Amino acid sequence: MKNKLSYKLIFLIFLISFVITSISVYIQIKKQYENQLNSFEKSLNNIKKNRLPILSQSLWNVDDVAVNIFLKNLVNNEKIIYAEIIENNKKTSSKGKIKEIDIIKKEFDINRTIDSKIDKIGKLVVIADLAPMYKELKSNAISIIFTEIIKMLLISLLIIFFMKRLLTNPLEKMALYANQLSLKNLHEPLKINDNTQANFDELNIVTESINTMRLNLINQIHESEEKNSILAQQSKLAAMGEMIGNIAHQWRQPLSMITTTASGIKLNYEIGLLDEEKLDDYTNKIINSAYYLSDTIDDFRDFFKPDRDKKYFKILKSFEKTFTLLNTQFTNNNISFVKNIEDIEIYGFENELIQVVINILNNAKDELINKKEQRLLIFIDVFSKADKIYIYIKDNAGGIKDTIINRIFEPYFTTKDESKGTGIGLYMSNEIVVKHMKGILSVQNVDFTFDNIDYKGAEFKIVINKYEKPDLISNVH
């Protein structure tokens, strides 16, 4: 709280007021000092004008009584503390006490005019004490300072009151609004005051700007949600196309089996060799093939069901479903998996994780099928550490070019022919991991050795939380 604007403002006001007060006091005291000093000078000069002729007459007549009375009356003045008469360079009489500091010392020639001739009789030395004047000035300065401080405090309090009311409070309200702004309350506008009339001061301009930014943000969020929804649908459609191809591959053998078995039943019936045992055997083959077809279509149907609720699921089982969906195409292309998958329980959307893995594996497959001169391998490592799950998927397809590796998660970015790639698979995978799973998806090129052979490939790394809800962590066993 030490750095609050209101505190800085108070300090600044006091500092400015102190400087102004100091200058004002200095000017007033200096003016009083000059006035009183002039008054001193004037009083002392009046001695020369009004009293020296009397003293000159008394000295000429050698009237010591008159001289002493003159000096006594002179020293009785509250400003003059000492007076002496010097004749022929020798002190003849004096009154009062001599002081060395805070004084004004004046010397006046004592003359006698006879027949227009001026004769010097001696001189009068007068010392005036400035201490009372300084004391009075000090008292006045204290009084002025006290008065100015009271005025400064009152003015400062008024300024602070109005500044807090007109500026600080609205700014604090703006800051609180900005700190508490989230998707939940983004629809609530910022209101600084309840005045319904249009105001066009600076605060209202800032308020309107913030509310305009808020509305723009809402529009951008809606546009982003619509864009992501479209991309998600495109990604699903692209995945669906891949899956339909897989269904065709996986159904080819059981359909062939059913066709062959049906032909065998007909042939054996026509030649009279269809007994009960053969009929049961043929029937079992047809039923088993039909079951396989049903199980396969169930696996694909489950994958395309939207995840509406998060749930606990085993990550090993999720990978088994993934391999079931992709097995035929990878087997037909002689791509082998090297798996090291821990049986970990996780809380989240299972189908979204499967979609991410399928996108990464399909990209690896598309690169590997161009490397016919070597073993085609995909390595999958899954393990947990603390409350995190780490999924590493790498291939030996030679890696991604350094010039494009930082762009592969951009929407619509693809190195494939337009008929083979849409450029949204890895983008949606990154969106799912980051936004839905609150995790991290990254990629890098790695060099590694397997079965004494050196390879290079792309390694995708997924880091996600085991349990997204903090209150569930303590309940997991």
Side-chain angles (χ1 to χ4, degrees), residues 208-234:
E208 289 301 317
S209 298
I210 292 174
N211 283 324
T212 301
M213 291 171 61
R214 179 183 61 83
L215 293 175
N216 291 337
L217 181 60
I218 291 174
N219 292 333
Q220 289 178 4
I221 290 173
H222 288 162
E223 292 175 2
S224 178
E225 289 175 347
E226 291 175 1
K227 176 184 175 183
N228 285 339
S229 177
I230 293 171
L231 289 175
Q233 292 301 321
Q234 290 178 336

PDB file of all heavy atoms in Angstrom, residues 208-234:
ATOM      1  N   GLU A 208     -15.566   4.475 -21.153  1.00  0.00           N
ATOM      2  CA  GLU A 208     -16.147   4.070 -22.429  1.00  0.00           C
ATOM      3  C   GLU A 208     -15.152   3.255 -23.252  1.00  0.00           C
ATOM      4  O   GLU A 208     -15.529   2.300 -23.935  1.00  0.00           O
ATOM      5  CB  GLU A 208     -16.592   5.307 -23.218  1.00  0.00           C
ATOM      6  CG  GLU A 208     -17.815   6.000 -22.651  1.00  0.00           C
ATOM      7  CD  GLU A 208     -19.028   5.085 -22.590  1.00  0.00           C
ATOM      8  OE1 GLU A 208     -19.248   4.346 -23.572  1.00  0.00           O
ATOM      9  OE2 GLU A 208     -19.738   5.103 -21.579  1.00  0.00           O
ATOM     10  N   SER A 209     -13.876   3.631 -23.167  1.00  0.00           N
ATOM     11  CA  SER A 209     -12.848   2.884 -23.909  1.00  0.00           C
ATOM     12  C   SER A 209     -12.739   1.459 -23.387  1.00  0.00           C
ATOM     13  O   SER A 209     -12.634   0.502 -24.168  1.00  0.00           O
ATOM     14  CB  SER A 209     -11.498   3.599 -23.788  1.00  0.00           C
ATOM     15  OG  SER A 209     -11.555   4.887 -24.358  1.00  0.00           O
ATOM     16  N   ILE A 210     -12.765   1.311 -22.049  1.00  0.00           N
ATOM     17  CA  ILE A 210     -12.686  -0.026 -21.444  1.00  0.00           C
ATOM     18  C   ILE A 210     -13.895  -0.864 -21.850  1.00  0.00           C
ATOM     19  O   ILE A 210     -13.773  -2.053 -22.196  1.00  0.00           O
ATOM     20  CB  ILE A 210     -12.576   0.078 -19.913  1.00  0.00           C
ATOM     21  CG1 ILE A 210     -11.222   0.687 -19.519  1.00  0.00           C
ATOM     22  CG2 ILE A 210     -12.752  -1.286 -19.250  1.00  0.00           C
ATOM     23  CD1 ILE A 210     -11.065   0.957 -18.045  1.00  0.00           C
ATOM     24  N   ASN A 211     -15.082  -0.256 -21.807  1.00  0.00           N
ATOM     25  CA  ASN A 211     -16.288  -0.993 -22.189  1.00  0.00           C
ATOM     26  C   ASN A 211     -16.278  -1.347 -23.672  1.00  0.00           C
ATOM     27  O   ASN A 211     -16.757  -2.425 -24.069  1.00  0.00           O
ATOM     28  CB  ASN A 211     -17.531  -0.172 -21.843  1.00  0.00           C
ATOM     29  CG  ASN A 211     -17.852  -0.205 -20.358  1.00  0.00           C
ATOM     30  OD1 ASN A 211     -17.663  -1.225 -19.705  1.00  0.00           O
ATOM     31  ND2 ASN A 211     -18.326   0.904 -19.826  1.00  0.00           N
ATOM     32  N   THR A 212     -15.727  -0.455 -24.494  1.00  0.00           N
ATOM     33  CA  THR A 212     -15.600  -0.765 -25.922  1.00  0.00           C
ATOM     34  C   THR A 212     -14.642  -1.938 -26.134  1.00  0.00           C
ATOM     35  O   THR A 212     -14.916  -2.853 -26.933  1.00  0.00           O
ATOM     36  CB  THR A 212     -15.101   0.473 -26.694  1.00  0.00           C
ATOM     37  OG1 THR A 212     -16.020   1.548 -26.500  1.00  0.00           O
ATOM     38  CG2 THR A 212     -14.978   0.170 -28.179  1.00  0.00           C
ATOM     39  N   MET A 213     -13.524  -1.918 -25.399  1.00  0.00           N
ATOM     40  CA  MET A 213     -12.579  -3.036 -25.475  1.00  0.00           C
ATOM     41  C   MET A 213     -13.239  -4.335 -25.016  1.00  0.00           C
ATOM     42  O   MET A 213     -13.007  -5.404 -25.588  1.00  0.00           O
ATOM     43  CB  MET A 213     -11.345  -2.728 -24.611  1.00  0.00           C
ATOM     44  CG  MET A 213     -10.470  -1.617 -25.157  1.00  0.00           C
ATOM     45  SD  MET A 213      -9.179  -1.117 -23.994  1.00  0.00           S
ATOM     46  CE  MET A 213      -8.284  -2.659 -23.830  1.00  0.00           C
ATOM     47  N   ARG A 214     -14.079  -4.219 -23.959  1.00  0.00           N
ATOM     48  CA  ARG A 214     -14.783  -5.403 -23.442  1.00  0.00           C
ATOM     49  C   ARG A 214     -15.718  -5.975 -24.515  1.00  0.00           C
ATOM     50  O   ARG A 214     -15.755  -7.193 -24.745  1.00  0.00           O
ATOM     51  CB  ARG A 214     -15.567  -5.014 -22.190  1.00  0.00           C
ATOM     52  CG  ARG A 214     -16.372  -6.137 -21.567  1.00  0.00           C
ATOM     53  CD  ARG A 214     -17.171  -5.613 -20.385  1.00  0.00           C
ATOM     54  NE  ARG A 214     -18.102  -4.583 -20.807  1.00  0.00           N
ATOM     55  CZ  ARG A 214     -19.298  -4.814 -21.336  1.00  0.00           C
ATOM     56  NH1 ARG A 214     -19.699  -6.072 -21.520  1.00  0.00           N
ATOM     57  NH2 ARG A 214     -20.084  -3.829 -21.678  1.00  0.00           N
ATOM     58  N   LEU A 215     -16.469  -5.105 -25.186  1.00  0.00           N
ATOM     59  CA  LEU A 215     -17.369  -5.569 -26.241  1.00  0.00           C
ATOM     60  C   LEU A 215     -16.598  -6.170 -27.406  1.00  0.00           C
ATOM     61  O   LEU A 215     -17.011  -7.195 -27.977  1.00  0.00           O
ATOM     62  CB  LEU A 215     -18.235  -4.400 -26.724  1.00  0.00           C
ATOM     63  CG  LEU A 215     -19.242  -3.842 -25.701  1.00  0.00           C
ATOM     64  CD1 LEU A 215     -19.938  -2.606 -26.275  1.00  0.00           C
ATOM     65  CD2 LEU A 215     -20.269  -4.894 -25.313  1.00  0.00           C
ATOM     66  N   ASN A 216     -15.463  -5.542 -27.763  1.00  0.00           N
ATOM     67  CA  ASN A 216     -14.631  -6.095 -28.832  1.00  0.00           C
ATOM     68  C   ASN A 216     -14.099  -7.476 -28.456  1.00  0.00           C
ATOM     69  O   ASN A 216     -14.029  -8.378 -29.299  1.00  0.00           O
ATOM     70  CB  ASN A 216     -13.469  -5.156 -29.144  1.00  0.00           C
ATOM     71  CG  ASN A 216     -13.930  -3.856 -29.800  1.00  0.00           C
ATOM     72  OD1 ASN A 216     -15.001  -3.812 -30.396  1.00  0.00           O
ATOM     73  ND2 ASN A 216     -13.135  -2.813 -29.684  1.00  0.00           N
ATOM     74  N   LEU A 217     -13.734  -7.606 -27.168  1.00  0.00           N
ATOM     75  CA  LEU A 217     -13.227  -8.898 -26.692  1.00  0.00           C
ATOM     76  C   LEU A 217     -14.316  -9.963 -26.770  1.00  0.00           C
ATOM     77  O   LEU A 217     -14.055 -11.106 -27.161  1.00  0.00           O
ATOM     78  CB  LEU A 217     -12.710  -8.753 -25.258  1.00  0.00           C
ATOM     79  CG  LEU A 217     -12.111 -10.010 -24.616  1.00  0.00           C
ATOM     80  CD1 LEU A 217     -10.921 -10.496 -25.431  1.00  0.00           C
ATOM     81  CD2 LEU A 217     -11.672  -9.723 -23.178  1.00  0.00           C
ATOM     82  N   ILE A 218     -15.554  -9.584 -26.379  1.00  0.00           N
ATOM     83  CA  ILE A 218     -16.668 -10.535 -26.461  1.00  0.00           C
ATOM     84  C   ILE A 218     -16.875 -10.981 -27.908  1.00  0.00           C
ATOM     85  O   ILE A 218     -17.048 -12.171 -28.191  1.00  0.00           O
ATOM     86  CB  ILE A 218     -17.952  -9.889 -25.899  1.00  0.00           C
ATOM     87  CG1 ILE A 218     -17.830  -9.698 -24.378  1.00  0.00           C
ATOM     88  CG2 ILE A 218     -19.174 -10.749 -26.213  1.00  0.00           C
ATOM     89  CD1 ILE A 218     -18.991  -8.942 -23.760  1.00  0.00           C
ATOM     90  N   ASN A 219     -16.839 -10.015 -28.832  1.00  0.00           N
ATOM     91  CA  ASN A 219     -17.013 -10.354 -30.248  1.00  0.00           C
ATOM     92  C   ASN A 219     -15.893 -11.259 -30.750  1.00  0.00           C
ATOM     93  O   ASN A 219     -16.139 -12.212 -31.503  1.00  0.00           O
ATOM     94  CB  ASN A 219     -17.069  -9.074 -31.094  1.00  0.00           C
ATOM     95  CG  ASN A 219     -18.312  -8.255 -30.825  1.00  0.00           C
ATOM     96  OD1 ASN A 219     -19.343  -8.785 -30.421  1.00  0.00           O
ATOM     97  ND2 ASN A 219     -18.226  -6.944 -31.024  1.00  0.00           N
ATOM     98  N   GLN A 220     -14.652 -10.953 -30.311  1.00  0.00           N
ATOM     99  CA  GLN A 220     -13.519 -11.779 -30.737  1.00  0.00           C
ATOM    100  C   GLN A 220     -13.625 -13.188 -30.175  1.00  0.00           C
ATOM    101  O   GLN A 220     -13.281 -14.172 -30.846  1.00  0.00           O
ATOM    102  CB  GLN A 220     -12.209 -11.129 -30.296  1.00  0.00           C
ATOM    103  CG  GLN A 220     -11.868  -9.865 -31.079  1.00  0.00           C
ATOM    104  CD  GLN A 220     -10.584  -9.213 -30.601  1.00  0.00           C
ATOM    105  OE1 GLN A 220      -9.902  -9.742 -29.724  1.00  0.00           O
ATOM    106  NE2 GLN A 220     -10.252  -8.065 -31.160  1.00  0.00           N
ATOM    107  N   ILE A 221     -14.112 -13.279 -28.918  1.00  0.00           N
ATOM    108  CA  ILE A 221     -14.280 -14.607 -28.307  1.00  0.00           C
ATOM    109  C   ILE A 221     -15.321 -15.406 -29.089  1.00  0.00           C
ATOM    110  O   ILE A 221     -15.134 -16.602 -29.376  1.00  0.00           O
ATOM    111  CB  ILE A 221     -14.672 -14.480 -26.829  1.00  0.00           C
ATOM    112  CG1 ILE A 221     -13.486 -13.962 -26.010  1.00  0.00           C
ATOM    113  CG2 ILE A 221     -15.141 -15.813 -26.268  1.00  0.00           C
ATOM    114  CD1 ILE A 221     -13.823 -13.643 -24.576  1.00  0.00           C
ATOM    115  N   HIS A 222     -16.443 -14.736 -29.435  1.00  0.00           N
ATOM    116  CA  HIS A 222     -17.478 -15.426 -30.208  1.00  0.00           C
ATOM    117  C   HIS A 222     -16.933 -15.864 -31.563  1.00  0.00           C
ATOM    118  O   HIS A 222     -17.187 -17.001 -32.007  1.00  0.00           O
ATOM    119  CB  HIS A 222     -18.679 -14.503 -30.402  1.00  0.00           C
ATOM    120  CG  HIS A 222     -19.470 -14.298 -29.141  1.00  0.00           C
ATOM    121  ND1 HIS A 222     -20.348 -13.251 -28.965  1.00  0.00           N
ATOM    122  CD2 HIS A 222     -19.507 -15.005 -27.995  1.00  0.00           C
ATOM    123  CE1 HIS A 222     -20.884 -13.319 -27.767  1.00  0.00           C
ATOM    124  NE2 HIS A 222     -20.390 -14.370 -27.151  1.00  0.00           N
ATOM    125  N   GLU A 223     -16.187 -14.962 -32.213  1.00  0.00           N
ATOM    126  CA  GLU A 223     -15.597 -15.321 -33.506  1.00  0.00           C
ATOM    127  C   GLU A 223     -14.610 -16.466 -33.365  1.00  0.00           C
ATOM    128  O   GLU A 223     -14.563 -17.379 -34.206  1.00  0.00           O
ATOM    129  CB  GLU A 223     -14.915 -14.104 -34.119  1.00  0.00           C
ATOM    130  CG  GLU A 223     -15.872 -13.005 -34.553  1.00  0.00           C
ATOM    131  CD  GLU A 223     -15.148 -11.765 -35.039  1.00  0.00           C
ATOM    132  OE1 GLU A 223     -13.896 -11.790 -35.068  1.00  0.00           O
ATOM    133  OE2 GLU A 223     -15.817 -10.770 -35.395  1.00  0.00           O
ATOM    134  N   SER A 224     -13.804 -16.407 -32.267  1.00  0.00           N
ATOM    135  CA  SER A 224     -12.825 -17.473 -32.038  1.00  0.00           C
ATOM    136  C   SER A 224     -13.512 -18.797 -31.759  1.00  0.00           C
ATOM    137  O   SER A 224     -13.079 -19.849 -32.245  1.00  0.00           O
ATOM    138  CB  SER A 224     -11.916 -17.090 -30.861  1.00  0.00           C
ATOM    139  OG  SER A 224     -10.996 -18.112 -30.579  1.00  0.00           O
ATOM    140  N   GLU A 225     -14.609 -18.732 -30.959  1.00  0.00           N
ATOM    141  CA  GLU A 225     -15.341 -19.965 -30.668  1.00  0.00           C
ATOM    142  C   GLU A 225     -15.953 -20.554 -31.936  1.00  0.00           C
ATOM    143  O   GLU A 225     -15.927 -21.770 -32.137  1.00  0.00           O
ATOM    144  CB  GLU A 225     -16.434 -19.685 -29.627  1.00  0.00           C
ATOM    145  CG  GLU A 225     -15.884 -19.425 -28.229  1.00  0.00           C
ATOM    146  CD  GLU A 225     -16.971 -19.032 -27.247  1.00  0.00           C
ATOM    147  OE1 GLU A 225     -18.099 -18.734 -27.699  1.00  0.00           O
ATOM    148  OE2 GLU A 225     -16.706 -19.032 -26.027  1.00  0.00           O
ATOM    149  N   GLU A 226     -16.509 -19.678 -32.780  1.00  0.00           N
ATOM    150  CA  GLU A 226     -17.077 -20.155 -34.035  1.00  0.00           C
ATOM    151  C   GLU A 226     -15.992 -20.760 -34.929  1.00  0.00           C
ATOM    152  O   GLU A 226     -16.179 -21.814 -35.543  1.00  0.00           O
ATOM    153  CB  GLU A 226     -17.777 -19.004 -34.760  1.00  0.00           C
ATOM    154  CG  GLU A 226     -19.047 -18.520 -34.060  1.00  0.00           C
ATOM    155  CD  GLU A 226     -19.657 -17.303 -34.743  1.00  0.00           C
ATOM    156  OE1 GLU A 226     -19.081 -16.870 -35.775  1.00  0.00           O
ATOM    157  OE2 GLU A 226     -20.680 -16.797 -34.262  1.00  0.00           O
ATOM    158  N   LYS A 227     -14.834 -20.056 -34.969  1.00  0.00           N
ATOM    159  CA  LYS A 227     -13.719 -20.552 -35.785  1.00  0.00           C
ATOM    160  C   LYS A 227     -13.237 -21.905 -35.275  1.00  0.00           C
ATOM    161  O   LYS A 227     -13.042 -22.848 -36.058  1.00  0.00           O
ATOM    162  CB  LYS A 227     -12.578 -19.538 -35.758  1.00  0.00           C
ATOM    163  CG  LYS A 227     -11.334 -19.989 -36.495  1.00  0.00           C
ATOM    164  CD  LYS A 227     -10.219 -18.965 -36.324  1.00  0.00           C
ATOM    165  CE  LYS A 227      -8.926 -19.453 -36.943  1.00  0.00           C
ATOM    166  NZ  LYS A 227      -7.812 -18.498 -36.729  1.00  0.00           N
ATOM    167  N   ASN A 228     -13.057 -22.004 -33.935  1.00  0.00           N
ATOM    168  CA  ASN A 228     -12.586 -23.265 -33.364  1.00  0.00           C
ATOM    169  C   ASN A 228     -13.613 -24.365 -33.546  1.00  0.00           C
ATOM    170  O   ASN A 228     -13.262 -25.537 -33.732  1.00  0.00           O
ATOM    171  CB  ASN A 228     -12.281 -23.082 -31.877  1.00  0.00           C
ATOM    172  CG  ASN A 228     -10.986 -22.329 -31.648  1.00  0.00           C
ATOM    173  OD1 ASN A 228     -10.136 -22.278 -32.532  1.00  0.00           O
ATOM    174  ND2 ASN A 228     -10.829 -21.735 -30.482  1.00  0.00           N
ATOM    175  N   SER A 229     -14.909 -23.988 -33.482  1.00  0.00           N
ATOM    176  CA  SER A 229     -15.952 -24.991 -33.700  1.00  0.00           C
ATOM    177  C   SER A 229     -15.887 -25.527 -35.120  1.00  0.00           C
ATOM    178  O   SER A 229     -16.001 -26.743 -35.348  1.00  0.00           O
ATOM    179  CB  SER A 229     -17.317 -24.370 -33.414  1.00  0.00           C
ATOM    180  OG  SER A 229     -18.349 -25.296 -33.678  1.00  0.00           O
ATOM    181  N   ILE A 230     -15.688 -24.596 -36.078  1.00  0.00           N
ATOM    182  CA  ILE A 230     -15.575 -25.023 -37.479  1.00  0.00           C
ATOM    183  C   ILE A 230     -14.337 -25.896 -37.676  1.00  0.00           C
ATOM    184  O   ILE A 230     -14.393 -26.948 -38.322  1.00  0.00           O
ATOM    185  CB  ILE A 230     -15.526 -23.789 -38.405  1.00  0.00           C
ATOM    186  CG1 ILE A 230     -16.864 -23.051 -38.366  1.00  0.00           C
ATOM    187  CG2 ILE A 230     -15.186 -24.204 -39.836  1.00  0.00           C
ATOM    188  CD1 ILE A 230     -16.837 -21.715 -39.082  1.00  0.00           C
ATOM    189  N   LEU A 231     -13.217 -25.448 -37.078  1.00  0.00           N
ATOM    190  CA  LEU A 231     -11.984 -26.235 -37.211  1.00  0.00           C
ATOM    191  C   LEU A 231     -12.128 -27.597 -36.554  1.00  0.00           C
ATOM    192  O   LEU A 231     -11.621 -28.607 -37.069  1.00  0.00           O
ATOM    193  CB  LEU A 231     -10.815 -25.469 -36.581  1.00  0.00           C
ATOM    194  CG  LEU A 231     -10.342 -24.233 -37.342  1.00  0.00           C
ATOM    195  CD1 LEU A 231      -9.272 -23.501 -36.546  1.00  0.00           C
ATOM    196  CD2 LEU A 231      -9.800 -24.617 -38.717  1.00  0.00           C
ATOM    197  N   ALA A 232     -12.821 -27.630 -35.396  1.00  0.00           N
ATOM    198  CA  ALA A 232     -13.028 -28.908 -34.713  1.00  0.00           C
ATOM    199  C   ALA A 232     -13.855 -29.848 -35.583  1.00  0.00           C
ATOM    200  O   ALA A 232     -13.572 -31.054 -35.687  1.00  0.00           O
ATOM    201  CB  ALA A 232     -13.705 -28.677 -33.368  1.00  0.00           C
ATOM    202  N   GLN A 233     -14.903 -29.293 -36.226  1.00  0.00           N
ATOM    203  CA  GLN A 233     -15.727 -30.123 -37.108  1.00  0.00           C
ATOM    204  C   GLN A 233     -14.916 -30.603 -38.306  1.00  0.00           C
ATOM    205  O   GLN A 233     -15.026 -31.771 -38.720  1.00  0.00           O
ATOM    206  CB  GLN A 233     -16.947 -29.311 -37.582  1.00  0.00           C
ATOM    207  CG  GLN A 233     -17.947 -28.983 -36.491  1.00  0.00           C
ATOM    208  CD  GLN A 233     -18.518 -30.228 -35.828  1.00  0.00           C
ATOM    209  OE1 GLN A 233     -18.797 -31.228 -36.494  1.00  0.00           O
ATOM    210  NE2 GLN A 233     -18.660 -30.169 -34.514  1.00  0.00           N
ATOM    211  N   GLN A 234     -14.093 -29.696 -38.857  1.00  0.00           N
ATOM    212  CA  GLN A 234     -13.245 -30.107 -39.975  1.00  0.00           C
ATOM    213  C   GLN A 234     -12.273 -31.200 -39.554  1.00  0.00           C
ATOM    214  O   GLN A 234     -12.027 -32.148 -40.302  1.00  0.00           O
ATOM    215  CB  GLN A 234     -12.480 -28.898 -40.521  1.00  0.00           C
ATOM    216  CG  GLN A 234     -13.349 -27.887 -41.243  1.00  0.00           C
ATOM    217  CD  GLN A 234     -12.555 -26.687 -41.711  1.00  0.00           C
ATOM    218  OE1 GLN A 234     -11.504 -26.382 -41.166  1.00  0.00           O
ATOM    219  NE2 GLN A 234     -13.059 -25.988 -42.726  1.00  0.00           N
TER     220      GLN A 234
END
